[in-house]
Amino acid sequence: MNNKNLKKLVRPNLFKISPYIPGRPKEEICREFNLAKKDVIKMASNENALGVYEVIADELKKCLEEIYLYPEGGGKEVCKKLGDQWGLSPDNFILGNGCDEIISMVCETFLKPGDEAVIGKPTFSYYEIACRIADAKCVFVPLRNYKYDLTDILKKITSKTKLVFICNPNNPTGTIVTKKEVDKFLHLLPDHVIAVFDEAYAEYVDDVNFPNSMEYLRGKINKNIIILRTFSKVYSLAGLRIGYGISNSEIIKYLNLVRKPFNVNRLAQCAALASLEHKEWLDRSREMVFDGKEYLYKQLDKSGIKYVPSQANFLLIELARKGEIISDKLLAYGIIVRPTTSFGLPDCIRVTVGTKKQNKRFIEVLKKILLLNF
Ligand SMILES: Cc1ncc(COP(=O)(O)O)c(C=O)c1O
């Protein structure tokens, strides 16, 4: 079979997909620039710069003896613990191989070709990818002043709309929508639409106006909503792949129809359970991020570099230069950040808040690069 014929076998909607661009891995940068791993700082994927919590690493070592056995299929124990934590029933939870997989499951469950999904722009790119895989139409709503505008989103809802994705705090801008805005939005949301609130960074929010979205599931507002949370960020488990969805038990039942039998591995479930027991890690991580943001804001202000104040563990920095050029230059110094061209923000970079030492190094190098004539 020649290549031309092979292409015809592929579902045509897949050609509309721009592949997901991840932050570049440390190993690749070490090879490319001949640097030792200890000299490379990853500030590109919003992982937890504190690294692995030793208590969880010890639990994982114990769990290794069991990896010849399949994991518990639906992650019942984790769902039960999450239910206790959030004051909900285990039936309100579904686990995913990262919340990426839950986004896929949501699209697979609800979208058929021609359905519409409303998505902010710029935002986390996987919503668009998952919708396009399902052959749905993506309806984009530009952010206003780097922020989701829920009134604009409501205006884009039609009879064909099935899903609305709201990233709160938003990646890559770090901005939030408030409880007041969400209350009003949900009040006006039609019954044929499901609102997906992606709260991957919620643990880092310190704005008192952030909604406690679990309240919406405790019966206060009878609307179709799905909340997404992850163990990849504040819990430091990005490499294990575990996230969760929270919704009413009927929606969870439908999502389970498309869930693969053993989608979340044994180590991930073990680490998640242990993490829910050891909340001290969250406090340490949050403190690092709050202190780190304060330092970065101060330094950027001093240098006259603009940024968007963030409620997450990353910062969108506006540069009067191409972000790609700046991020390439940072790479040569072993600092990996995320250029935001693929988000439609060519003059910005997104930088994960690091440890004190990493933030200091980043600022020193950034200033040096910006002073150079190129
Ligand atoms: C907003 C948002 N949602 C979801 C994810 C994916 O998280 P996970 O690692 O749980 O798949 C990310 C990862 O960067 C993200 O930024």
PDB file of all heavy atoms in Angstrom, residues 286-306:
ATOM      1  N   ARG A 286       2.855  24.976  48.491  1.00  0.00           N
ATOM      2  CA  ARG A 286       2.182  26.268  48.332  1.00  0.00           C
ATOM      3  C   ARG A 286       3.074  27.404  48.814  1.00  0.00           C
ATOM      4  O   ARG A 286       3.179  28.441  48.167  1.00  0.00           O
ATOM      5  CB  ARG A 286       0.868  26.277  49.119  1.00  0.00           C
ATOM      6  CG  ARG A 286      -0.278  25.697  48.320  1.00  0.00           C
ATOM      7  CD  ARG A 286      -1.595  26.050  48.953  1.00  0.00           C
ATOM      8  NE  ARG A 286      -1.814  25.275  50.158  1.00  0.00           N
ATOM      9  CZ  ARG A 286      -2.742  24.338  50.278  1.00  0.00           C
ATOM     10  NH1 ARG A 286      -3.529  24.069  49.260  1.00  0.00           N
ATOM     11  NH2 ARG A 286      -2.897  23.684  51.391  1.00  0.00           N
ATOM     12  N   GLU A 287       3.725  27.171  49.942  1.00  0.00           N
ATOM     13  CA  GLU A 287       4.594  28.210  50.497  1.00  0.00           C
ATOM     14  C   GLU A 287       5.705  28.550  49.507  1.00  0.00           C
ATOM     15  O   GLU A 287       6.021  29.716  49.273  1.00  0.00           O
ATOM     16  CB  GLU A 287       5.183  27.695  51.803  1.00  0.00           C
ATOM     17  CG  GLU A 287       5.757  28.791  52.667  1.00  0.00           C
ATOM     18  CD  GLU A 287       6.366  28.206  53.927  1.00  0.00           C
ATOM     19  OE1 GLU A 287       5.741  27.342  54.568  1.00  0.00           O
ATOM     20  OE2 GLU A 287       7.512  28.611  54.239  1.00  0.00           O
ATOM     21  N   MET A 288       6.289  27.501  48.912  1.00  0.00           N
ATOM     22  CA  MET A 288       7.360  27.738  47.938  1.00  0.00           C
ATOM     23  C   MET A 288       6.837  28.594  46.768  1.00  0.00           C
ATOM     24  O   MET A 288       7.501  29.531  46.325  1.00  0.00           O
ATOM     25  CB  MET A 288       7.894  26.403  47.397  1.00  0.00           C
ATOM     26  CG  MET A 288       8.984  26.581  46.372  1.00  0.00           C
ATOM     27  SD  MET A 288       9.223  25.144  45.344  1.00  0.00           S
ATOM     28  CE  MET A 288       7.701  25.044  44.462  1.00  0.00           C
ATOM     29  N   VAL A 289       5.645  28.255  46.300  1.00  0.00           N
ATOM     30  CA  VAL A 289       5.093  28.971  45.144  1.00  0.00           C
ATOM     31  C   VAL A 289       4.720  30.414  45.514  1.00  0.00           C
ATOM     32  O   VAL A 289       5.019  31.353  44.769  1.00  0.00           O
ATOM     33  CB  VAL A 289       3.895  28.197  44.539  1.00  0.00           C
ATOM     34  CG1 VAL A 289       3.102  29.051  43.563  1.00  0.00           C
ATOM     35  CG2 VAL A 289       4.402  26.939  43.842  1.00  0.00           C
ATOM     36  N   PHE A 290       4.112  30.601  46.691  1.00  0.00           N
ATOM     37  CA  PHE A 290       3.735  31.972  47.085  1.00  0.00           C
ATOM     38  C   PHE A 290       4.985  32.840  47.246  1.00  0.00           C
ATOM     39  O   PHE A 290       5.043  33.960  46.746  1.00  0.00           O
ATOM     40  CB  PHE A 290       2.918  31.974  48.390  1.00  0.00           C
ATOM     41  CG  PHE A 290       1.581  31.284  48.270  1.00  0.00           C
ATOM     42  CD1 PHE A 290       0.975  30.703  49.379  1.00  0.00           C
ATOM     43  CD2 PHE A 290       0.918  31.197  47.059  1.00  0.00           C
ATOM     44  CE1 PHE A 290      -0.259  30.058  49.277  1.00  0.00           C
ATOM     45  CE2 PHE A 290      -0.308  30.556  46.932  1.00  0.00           C
ATOM     46  CZ  PHE A 290      -0.892  29.987  48.059  1.00  0.00           C
ATOM     47  N   ASP A 291       6.000  32.305  47.942  1.00  0.00           N
ATOM     48  CA  ASP A 291       7.248  33.063  48.123  1.00  0.00           C
ATOM     49  C   ASP A 291       7.922  33.307  46.778  1.00  0.00           C
ATOM     50  O   ASP A 291       8.439  34.391  46.507  1.00  0.00           O
ATOM     51  CB  ASP A 291       8.242  32.292  49.025  1.00  0.00           C
ATOM     52  CG  ASP A 291       7.740  32.217  50.459  1.00  0.00           C
ATOM     53  OD1 ASP A 291       6.756  32.905  50.770  1.00  0.00           O
ATOM     54  OD2 ASP A 291       8.328  31.446  51.247  1.00  0.00           O
ATOM     55  N   GLY A 292       7.901  32.281  45.944  1.00  0.00           N
ATOM     56  CA  GLY A 292       8.536  32.367  44.627  1.00  0.00           C
ATOM     57  C   GLY A 292       7.883  33.432  43.755  1.00  0.00           C
ATOM     58  O   GLY A 292       8.569  34.213  43.091  1.00  0.00           O
ATOM     59  N   LYS A 293       6.552  33.481  43.802  1.00  0.00           N
ATOM     60  CA  LYS A 293       5.849  34.482  42.978  1.00  0.00           C
ATOM     61  C   LYS A 293       6.182  35.885  43.470  1.00  0.00           C
ATOM     62  O   LYS A 293       6.426  36.791  42.678  1.00  0.00           O
ATOM     63  CB  LYS A 293       4.336  34.237  43.007  1.00  0.00           C
ATOM     64  CG  LYS A 293       3.909  33.167  42.010  1.00  0.00           C
ATOM     65  CD  LYS A 293       2.414  33.142  41.775  1.00  0.00           C
ATOM     66  CE  LYS A 293       1.659  32.572  42.917  1.00  0.00           C
ATOM     67  NZ  LYS A 293       0.262  32.240  42.595  1.00  0.00           N
ATOM     68  N   GLU A 294       6.211  36.039  44.790  1.00  0.00           N
ATOM     69  CA  GLU A 294       6.517  37.353  45.361  1.00  0.00           C
ATOM     70  C   GLU A 294       7.896  37.818  44.877  1.00  0.00           C
ATOM     71  O   GLU A 294       8.070  38.963  44.451  1.00  0.00           O
ATOM     72  CB  GLU A 294       6.507  37.229  46.882  1.00  0.00           C
ATOM     73  CG  GLU A 294       6.275  38.532  47.591  1.00  0.00           C
ATOM     74  CD  GLU A 294       6.271  38.309  49.095  1.00  0.00           C
ATOM     75  OE1 GLU A 294       5.474  37.474  49.576  1.00  0.00           O
ATOM     76  OE2 GLU A 294       7.102  38.950  49.765  1.00  0.00           O
ATOM     77  N   TYR A 295       8.857  36.902  44.922  1.00  0.00           N
ATOM     78  CA  TYR A 295      10.216  37.231  44.486  1.00  0.00           C
ATOM     79  C   TYR A 295      10.222  37.583  42.987  1.00  0.00           C
ATOM     80  O   TYR A 295      10.779  38.612  42.580  1.00  0.00           O
ATOM     81  CB  TYR A 295      11.143  36.039  44.757  1.00  0.00           C
ATOM     82  CG  TYR A 295      12.491  36.164  44.090  1.00  0.00           C
ATOM     83  CD1 TYR A 295      13.498  36.959  44.658  1.00  0.00           C
ATOM     84  CD2 TYR A 295      12.759  35.525  42.878  1.00  0.00           C
ATOM     85  CE1 TYR A 295      14.734  37.099  44.032  1.00  0.00           C
ATOM     86  CE2 TYR A 295      13.989  35.659  42.241  1.00  0.00           C
ATOM     87  CZ  TYR A 295      14.969  36.448  42.824  1.00  0.00           C
ATOM     88  OH  TYR A 295      16.184  36.589  42.194  1.00  0.00           O
ATOM     89  N   LEU A 296       9.579  36.732  42.194  1.00  0.00           N
ATOM     90  CA  LEU A 296       9.589  36.963  40.736  1.00  0.00           C
ATOM     91  C   LEU A 296       8.901  38.282  40.383  1.00  0.00           C
ATOM     92  O   LEU A 296       9.404  39.056  39.563  1.00  0.00           O
ATOM     93  CB  LEU A 296       8.916  35.797  40.011  1.00  0.00           C
ATOM     94  CG  LEU A 296       9.691  34.468  40.029  1.00  0.00           C
ATOM     95  CD1 LEU A 296       8.824  33.317  39.522  1.00  0.00           C
ATOM     96  CD2 LEU A 296      10.967  34.560  39.195  1.00  0.00           C
ATOM     97  N   TYR A 297       7.744  38.557  41.025  1.00  0.00           N
ATOM     98  CA  TYR A 297       7.029  39.814  40.747  1.00  0.00           C
ATOM     99  C   TYR A 297       7.957  41.005  41.020  1.00  0.00           C
ATOM    100  O   TYR A 297       8.066  41.927  40.227  1.00  0.00           O
ATOM    101  CB  TYR A 297       5.796  39.969  41.648  1.00  0.00           C
ATOM    102  CG  TYR A 297       4.648  39.020  41.390  1.00  0.00           C
ATOM    103  CD1 TYR A 297       3.624  38.863  42.344  1.00  0.00           C
ATOM    104  CD2 TYR A 297       4.533  38.291  40.217  1.00  0.00           C
ATOM    105  CE1 TYR A 297       2.551  38.008  42.133  1.00  0.00           C
ATOM    106  CE2 TYR A 297       3.455  37.422  40.008  1.00  0.00           C
ATOM    107  CZ  TYR A 297       2.471  37.283  40.969  1.00  0.00           C
ATOM    108  OH  TYR A 297       1.412  36.446  40.763  1.00  0.00           O
ATOM    109  N   LYS A 298       8.610  40.943  42.194  1.00  0.00           N
ATOM    110  CA  LYS A 298       9.470  42.054  42.600  1.00  0.00           C
ATOM    111  C   LYS A 298      10.592  42.266  41.586  1.00  0.00           C
ATOM    112  O   LYS A 298      10.865  43.387  41.151  1.00  0.00           O
ATOM    113  CB  LYS A 298      10.050  41.739  43.983  1.00  0.00           C
ATOM    114  CG  LYS A 298      10.293  42.978  44.813  1.00  0.00           C
ATOM    115  CD  LYS A 298      10.889  42.661  46.157  1.00  0.00           C
ATOM    116  CE  LYS A 298       9.839  42.441  47.234  1.00  0.00           C
ATOM    117  NZ  LYS A 298      10.414  41.944  48.482  1.00  0.00           N
ATOM    118  N   GLN A 299      11.222  41.174  41.201  1.00  0.00           N
ATOM    119  CA  GLN A 299      12.347  41.267  40.275  1.00  0.00           C
ATOM    120  C   GLN A 299      11.900  41.750  38.895  1.00  0.00           C
ATOM    121  O   GLN A 299      12.572  42.570  38.266  1.00  0.00           O
ATOM    122  CB  GLN A 299      13.044  39.903  40.140  1.00  0.00           C
ATOM    123  CG  GLN A 299      13.693  39.412  41.418  1.00  0.00           C
ATOM    124  CD  GLN A 299      14.733  40.382  41.941  1.00  0.00           C
ATOM    125  OE1 GLN A 299      15.534  40.920  41.194  1.00  0.00           O
ATOM    126  NE2 GLN A 299      14.708  40.640  43.243  1.00  0.00           N
ATOM    127  N   LEU A 300      10.786  41.229  38.431  1.00  0.00           N
ATOM    128  CA  LEU A 300      10.291  41.632  37.106  1.00  0.00           C
ATOM    129  C   LEU A 300       9.877  43.103  37.135  1.00  0.00           C
ATOM    130  O   LEU A 300      10.176  43.853  36.205  1.00  0.00           O
ATOM    131  CB  LEU A 300       9.134  40.727  36.668  1.00  0.00           C
ATOM    132  CG  LEU A 300       9.516  39.256  36.420  1.00  0.00           C
ATOM    133  CD1 LEU A 300       8.272  38.377  36.276  1.00  0.00           C
ATOM    134  CD2 LEU A 300      10.401  39.100  35.184  1.00  0.00           C
ATOM    135  N   ASP A 301       9.204  43.506  38.224  1.00  0.00           N
ATOM    136  CA  ASP A 301       8.810  44.920  38.365  1.00  0.00           C
ATOM    137  C   ASP A 301      10.039  45.821  38.286  1.00  0.00           C
ATOM    138  O   ASP A 301      10.044  46.825  37.581  1.00  0.00           O
ATOM    139  CB  ASP A 301       8.101  45.154  39.713  1.00  0.00           C
ATOM    140  CG  ASP A 301       6.667  44.633  39.704  1.00  0.00           C
ATOM    141  OD1 ASP A 301       6.120  44.454  38.605  1.00  0.00           O
ATOM    142  OD2 ASP A 301       6.105  44.391  40.786  1.00  0.00           O
ATOM    143  N   LYS A 302      11.071  45.434  39.045  1.00  0.00           N
ATOM    144  CA  LYS A 302      12.303  46.234  39.077  1.00  0.00           C
ATOM    145  C   LYS A 302      12.900  46.395  37.692  1.00  0.00           C
ATOM    146  O   LYS A 302      13.481  47.420  37.363  1.00  0.00           O
ATOM    147  CB  LYS A 302      13.340  45.521  39.963  1.00  0.00           C
ATOM    148  CG  LYS A 302      13.432  46.064  41.369  1.00  0.00           C
ATOM    149  CD  LYS A 302      14.797  45.712  41.930  1.00  0.00           C
ATOM    150  CE  LYS A 302      14.668  44.894  43.196  1.00  0.00           C
ATOM    151  NZ  LYS A 302      15.902  44.272  43.627  1.00  0.00           N
ATOM    152  N   SER A 303      12.770  45.335  36.877  1.00  0.00           N
ATOM    153  CA  SER A 303      13.369  45.367  35.536  1.00  0.00           C
ATOM    154  C   SER A 303      12.417  45.907  34.481  1.00  0.00           C
ATOM    155  O   SER A 303      12.738  45.905  33.292  1.00  0.00           O
ATOM    156  CB  SER A 303      13.805  43.953  35.128  1.00  0.00           C
ATOM    157  OG  SER A 303      14.599  43.399  36.120  1.00  0.00           O
ATOM    158  N   GLY A 304      11.222  46.278  34.911  1.00  0.00           N
ATOM    159  CA  GLY A 304      10.244  46.811  33.959  1.00  0.00           C
ATOM    160  C   GLY A 304       9.725  45.748  32.984  1.00  0.00           C
ATOM    161  O   GLY A 304       9.319  46.067  31.869  1.00  0.00           O
ATOM    162  N   ILE A 305       9.732  44.490  33.428  1.00  0.00           N
ATOM    163  CA  ILE A 305       9.219  43.407  32.560  1.00  0.00           C
ATOM    164  C   ILE A 305       7.778  43.106  32.981  1.00  0.00           C
ATOM    165  O   ILE A 305       7.504  42.908  34.170  1.00  0.00           O
ATOM    166  CB  ILE A 305      10.102  42.139  32.682  1.00  0.00           C
ATOM    167  CG1 ILE A 305      11.542  42.454  32.276  1.00  0.00           C
ATOM    168  CG2 ILE A 305       9.536  40.993  31.836  1.00  0.00           C
ATOM    169  CD1 ILE A 305      12.550  41.352  32.617  1.00  0.00           C
ATOM    170  N   LYS A 306       6.894  43.069  31.994  1.00  0.00           N
ATOM    171  CA  LYS A 306       5.473  42.879  32.306  1.00  0.00           C
ATOM    172  C   LYS A 306       5.128  41.401  32.493  1.00  0.00           C
ATOM    173  O   LYS A 306       5.731  40.532  31.847  1.00  0.00           O
ATOM    174  CB  LYS A 306       4.623  43.424  31.163  1.00  0.00           C
ATOM    175  CG  LYS A 306       4.530  44.925  31.157  1.00  0.00           C
ATOM    176  CD  LYS A 306       3.343  45.277  30.292  1.00  0.00           C
ATOM    177  CE  LYS A 306       3.431  46.620  29.660  1.00  0.00           C
ATOM    178  NZ  LYS A 306       2.632  46.707  28.462  1.00  0.00           N
TER     179      LYS A 306
END
